[in-house]
């Protein structure tokens, strides 16, 4: 098992990629702290993990609030004694064009995707320093690399996450803390299916835009996040890994 005796925090783990990552990490031996604003589905992730013999607990928190970001780390250390891994996966999907994005839209995208990630990392890495190191994985997106109409606030924050990962990696390297960014393409989550419906598109049409001719499963992003969080990536830091079926290679 690749994460035996490790303690991992995963934000936004009530659904989609976060839930798949929480379940995979638990299968690999980690004690998992499931963080989300959605209590019912967050508790469901914990139930899924425990029913398969894994260890997990739920912490209700809004990562954009500093007191919550701090409490996530405090509750993790209280329950499991240490923090080895942080996956910054929670995001606000603010899909707007330049002319329609309001100040509130920009504030929501920035406060969850950028500030929330920074605050969770600030408090978790303070504890990682005490155990001699750790790994942070930020979840970016293909939207941080390609321009598409109607995604501006979200895309801008996802591009910033790549640079945040580099800066954090440089600042934290001497503490043996690695920081990397995993950038999924189209993942067939409930959120994506809802979005396709809004756009009047189909799973098949979306798949056809990728060299691999399909969208991906949440577990395929979870596998890349696991790699970055595990010892297999022990000399990888400040890097980004596309998990996009070749979408950005075209
Ligand atoms: N689904 C895709 O196609 C896709 C593609 C590229 C990147 N991503 C990225 O993957 C990550 C997960 O996306 P997903 O598709 O699994 O989404 P999702 O909506 O299934 O999961 C996101 C979770 O984050 C939680 N969340 C939102 N704001 C929060 C906050 N302030 N505090 C705590 N939790 C909060 C939500 O309640 C939700 O459970 C995101 O960072 C997203 O940008 C997704």
């Amino acid at each position: 098992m690749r994460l035996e005796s490790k303690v991992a925090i995963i934000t936004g783990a009530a659904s989609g990629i976060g839930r798949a990552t929480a379940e995979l990490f638990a299968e690999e031996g980690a004690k998992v702290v499931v963080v989300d604003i959605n209590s019912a589905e967050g508790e469901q992730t914990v139930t899924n993990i425990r029913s398969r013999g894994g260890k997990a607990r739920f912490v209700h928190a809004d990562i954009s609030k500093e007191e919550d970001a701090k409490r996530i780390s405090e509750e993790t250390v209280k329950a499991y004694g240490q923090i080895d891994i942080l996956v910054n996966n929670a995001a606000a999907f603010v899909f707007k064009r330049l002319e329609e994005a309001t100040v509130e839209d920009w504030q929501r995208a920035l406060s969850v995707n950028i500030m929330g990630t920074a605050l969770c990392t600030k408090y978790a890495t303070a504890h990682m320093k005490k155990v001699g190191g750790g790994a942070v994985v930020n979840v970016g997106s293909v939207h941080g690399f390609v321009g598409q109409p109607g995604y501006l606030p979200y895309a801008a924050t996802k591009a910033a996450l790549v640079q945040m990962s580099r800066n954090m990696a440089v600042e934290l390297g001497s503490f043996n803390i690695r920081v990397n960014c995993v950038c999924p393409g189209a993942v067939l989550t409930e959120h994506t299916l809802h979005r396709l419906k809004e756009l009047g598109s189909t799973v098949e049409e979306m798949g056809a835009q990728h060299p691999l001719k399909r969208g991906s499963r949440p577990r395929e992003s979870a596998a890349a996040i696991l790699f970055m969080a595990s010892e297999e990536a022990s000399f990888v830091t400040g890097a980004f890994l596309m998990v996009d079926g070749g979408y950005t290679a075209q």
Side-chain angles (χ1 to χ4, degrees):
M1 289 207 280
R2 280 176 280 188
L3 301 181
E4 186 98 66
S5 78
K6 301 289 185 194
V7 176
I9 298 169
I10 303 171
T11 68
S15 68
I17 296 169
R19 175 178 280 173
T21 304
E23 292 176 355
L24 180 59
F25 276 29
E27 285 167 30
E28 292 290 340
K31 295 176 191 124
V32 178
V33 174
V34 170
V35 175
D36 212 286
I37 43 173
N38 184 337
S39 296
E41 292 303 319
E43 293 286 6
Q44 184 59 51
T45 302
V46 170
T47 302
N48 296 351
I49 290 171
R50 288 183 181 162
S51 68
R52 292 173 207 144
K55 288 200 169 65
R57 56 184 288 120
F58 176 66
V59 173
H60 181 275
D62 177 344
I63 61 159
S64 66
K65 296 191 172 137
E66 182 163 22
E67 63 272 24
D68 282 20
K70 190 164 180 249
R71 186 170 48 78
I72 293 166
S73 287
E74 287 168 353
E75 290 195 22
T76 302
V77 172
K78 203 170 159 201
Y80 294 135
Q82 65 195 59
I83 302 171
D84 302 291
I85 298 163
L86 168 68
V87 179
N88 286 308
N89 167 77
F93 297 94
V94 186
F95 296 159
K96 294 275 173 81
R97 299 178 75 99
L98 176 63
E99 69 271 17
E100 61 184 1
T102 62
V103 169
E104 288 72 28
D105 290 326
W106 279 104
Q107 277 168 344
R108 193 158 68 87
L110 293 167
S111 69
V112 178
N113 302 357
I114 298 293
M115 208 173 64
T117 297
L119 291 172
C120 288
T121 307
K122 173 180 172 178
Y123 290 109
T125 55
H127 290 278
M128 287 178 188
K129 288 174 185 172
K130 293 179 192 161
V131 293
V136 177
V137 185
N138 296 323
V139 180
S141 168
V142 290
H143 288 290
F145 295 83
V146 296
Q148 255 185 307
Y151 287 88
L152 187 49
Y154 175 77
T157 61
K158 290 295 174 179
L161 273 188
V162 174
Q163 188 58 28
M164 275 177 68
S165 305
R166 288 199 188 103
N167 275 64
M168 287 174 174
V170 169
E171 286 191 14
L172 296 166
S174 60
F175 297 99
N176 193 32
I177 298 172
R178 298 180 298 103
V179 186
N180 291 293
C181 192
V182 167
C183 304
V187 185
L188 295 171
T189 57
E190 274 180 41
H191 170 83
T192 304
L193 297 177
H194 180 75
R195 179 73 183 155
L196 285 172
K197 214 171 171 183
E198 270 179 5
L199 295 172
S201 185
T202 63
V203 171
E204 290 71 29
E205 282 169 0
M206 185 197 73
Q209 294 171 9
H210 299 75
L212 289 182
K213 300 299 170 208
R214 64 174 179 86
S216 73
R217 297 180 295 276
R219 186 94 173 180
E220 293 177 305
S221 289
I225 295 168
L226 170 63
F227 167 69
M228 286 301 199
S230 76
E231 276 304 300
E232 285 168 19
S234 55
F235 205 55
V236 183
T237 196
F240 61 86
L241 175 57
M242 308 307 297
V243 186
D244 67 350
Y247 186 79
T248 52
Q250 299 172 103

